[in-house]
Amino acid sequence: MHSLLCLTHKSAADLVPGELFRFALNSGADGSLALMLGTNGDGDPLFGILRSPEFETPLTWYEGSSTDRCVSYGTEWLLEERPGPETAPGNAFQQDAKIRLFIDSGATVMRFTPPHGFVHQSINLDLTNTKIGSALSTRAAPVANWAIWASIDQYKSPRAEALFEYPPKAAASLG
């Protein structure tokens, strides 16, 4: 037997920064797709929620528990950048709060906003070296459209769909 996605069952304590996974938050009803960002000052895991029924907006960070259980895709997932006219170094689109992916000097940075009602700052994850806290330069090139695939094989499959697309399809039709 061969598994295309090579999913593994893990606890949050066993995740490494940059790992893509699915898990159930408070309701447990529907799964959330997330990235492990790292840990907070108390050692609790920080998750970058790509999409979840628990949050109104995609790409929100969340402080989890090391005992949370998940199904992991691993760290070898694929980011498909879909550059558009906005993707130019130092472009004025950089200030658009809806843009969450940036190509900067030697880095690709994904931005996660705080949960609704929190006054904390956004968290930037440098996908190139899986470090949080990366500040963007004034020359960062914004990427308004992109997708995440579980693997290069899934991306190449004519039957497959991306695990996540940004902006989400429902939000893209809102204008």
Side-chain angles (χ1 to χ4, degrees), residues 73-148:
Y73 292 95
T75 57
E76 297 299 316
W77 50 274
L78 176 74
L79 172 67
E80 177 194 5
E81 301 97 334
R82 298 172 178 169
E86 78 287 346
T87 307
N91 193 315
F93 281 90
Q94 181 176 345
Q95 300 304 318
D96 185 342
K98 293 178 186 173
I99 293 182
R100 302 296 185 85
L101 185 69
F102 302 87
I103 299 169
D104 210 350
S105 299
T108 300
V109 178
M110 191 175 290
R111 176 171 288 159
F112 295 88
T113 59
H116 184 69
F118 280 68
V119 293
H120 300 297
Q121 301 253 327
S122 293
I123 294 176
N124 290 341
L125 175 66
D126 178 345
L127 298 172
T128 308
N129 62 25
T130 60
K131 301 266 188 233
I132 57 175
S134 302
L136 292 172
S137 75
T138 58
R139 306 290 303 163
V143 181
N145 296 288
W146 46 275
I148 290 180

Side-chain angles (χ1 to χ4, degrees), residues 5 15-16 19 56 60-61 66 80-81 87-88 105 134 155 158:
L5 301 180
L15 296 171
V16 297
E19 194 162 349
E56 292 177 19
T60 300
W61 60 260
S66 60
E80 177 194 5
E81 301 97 334
T87 307
S105 299
S134 302
Y155 172 74

